[in-house]
Amino acid sequence: VDGTDTDQVNRFLKKFNKEDKLKIKVKNLGHIVETAVKQNNTIDIYEEYFSGAMTDHSSEPPSAKGLAVFRDPHPIKRTATSINWHPEGSRIAVSYSVLNFQDERLMTQQLAV
């Protein structure tokens, strides 16, 4: 049935409303269609979809370069857990985490903000 053709839709609805067996068949068909759709949406994670040699499309080998080193001015060693950059590039925000939370020095000193 073409859903955009009103004549076909009306004919189908007349049949559907008249016949009780058709209602049961359509209801059973819904379960079969749902199972088929779920099977078609699964993929095999072990299947090799792109067989053959992997080609390297880069023209030069990858590299990295350190531009700046930022040091924590606080005397107690702590780990940087997150670094955020300002979109304009003029500011940086770092959040720290002290892994030794029961350290005696932390009880007497206040961490720098």
Side-chain angles (χ1 to χ4, degrees):
V1 176
D2 184 13
T4 59
D5 188 6
T6 56
D7 291 334
Q8 287 183 1
V9 171
N10 288 335
R11 272 188 259 138
F12 177 77
L13 288 175
K14 281 182 186 179
K15 275 185 188 178
F16 186 78
N17 290 331
K18 284 183 182 178
E19 298 180 23
D20 290 333
K21 289 181 182 178
L22 184 61
K23 291 179 183 179
I24 294 169
K25 288 180 183 178
V26 170
K27 194 180 264 188
N28 291 339
L29 185 62
H31 176 68
I32 294 169
V33 170
E34 182 182 2
T35 304
V37 167
K38 286 181 179 179
Q39 286 176 350
N40 287 336
N41 284 338
T42 60
I43 61 169
D44 183 8
I45 61 172
Y46 299 107
E47 183 177 343
E48 192 171 323
Y49 289 101
F50 304 102
S51 60
M54 296 292 289
T55 57
D56 185 19
H57 297 289
S58 65
S59 60
E60 58 188 49
S63 64
K65 182 177 169 183
L67 298 177
V69 176
F70 297 100
R71 300 204 185 277
D72 184 11
H74 201 271
I76 298 175
K77 298 278 186 193
R78 51 192 181 166
T79 305
T81 57
S82 178
I83 301 174
N84 294 313
W85 304 91
H86 192 271
E88 295 174 0
S90 60
R91 294 182 185 178
I92 182 174
V94 180
S95 65
Y96 293 102
S97 172
V98 180
L99 299 177
N100 300 336
F101 63 91
Q102 294 177 338
D103 192 347
E104 290 297 324
R105 295 176 293 175
L106 296 177
M107 300 299 178
T108 59
Q109 295 180 355
Q110 184 177 1
L111 295 177
V113 179

